[in-house]
Amino acid sequence: KEAALAQIANGVDVIIAIGDACDVGAIQAAEEKGGYVIGWSGDFNSLSPNVVLTSAVQSVPDLVLLQGKMLREGSWVAEHKVWGITEGVQFPGAWSPVVPADLKAQIMADFEAIKSGAMDKRVLL
């Protein structure tokens, strides 16, 4: 929370909180001093729908199931791999009502393009 308060005091408008339970402190800071939060890796919108714009949800259970399926089928390979949108284990959480509909639509269009393979996910890095 203190780190988020310091960022807000320095003019930050949106904090990407990457700390699971630590996201709560960033949300509290944004509620108290103004600002917004994008949560990660759970869906934190329900904690403060007007402050948490959305979350980048990472589904560890889906990732574990995917790995188990690959092991069972014999297709699992010990290698470095990035697991995310295209594998169905990373996706947007609930959206705040303060996010403009056109912005949400554009983000979701990009998300779907990455998911389908029509857009290279590295474009966004």
Side-chain angles (χ1 to χ4, degrees):
K1 179 178 176 181
E2 292 302 317
L5 287 170
Q7 291 175 2
I8 292 167
N10 283 317
V12 170
D13 296 317
V14 179
I15 297 170
I16 299 176
I18 303 177
D20 291 332
C22 297
D23 288 18
V24 175
I27 293 166
Q28 290 171 343
E31 288 174 334
E32 291 173 17
K33 299 296 182 181
Y36 299 100
V37 172
I38 296 173
W40 191 90
S41 64
D43 190 347
F44 291 91
N45 179 268
S46 65
L47 297 178
S48 189
N50 290 320
V51 169
V52 179
L53 300 175
T54 191
S55 299
V57 179
Q58 179 185 40
S59 178
V60 174
D62 288 340
L63 178 58
V64 171
L65 287 172
L66 182 59
Q67 295 290 310
K69 179 181 176 188
M70 292 172 70
L71 281 167
R72 186 178 66 232
E73 294 172 348
S75 62
W76 187 85
V77 177
E79 65 181 347
H80 173 75
K81 180 166 174 51
V82 176
W83 299 88
I85 295 171
T86 56
E87 294 77 22
V89 298
Q90 188 84 35
F91 45 87
W95 289 89
S96 171
V98 304
V99 176
D102 60 333
L103 177 59
K104 177 183 169 185
Q106 181 59 56
I107 292 169
M108 290 307 298
D110 288 348
F111 171 80
E112 292 300 332
I114 292 169
K115 186 175 176 182
S116 72
M119 178 189 290
D120 188 331
K121 62 187 169 192
R122 293 173 292 182
V123 169
L124 301 176
L125 297 178

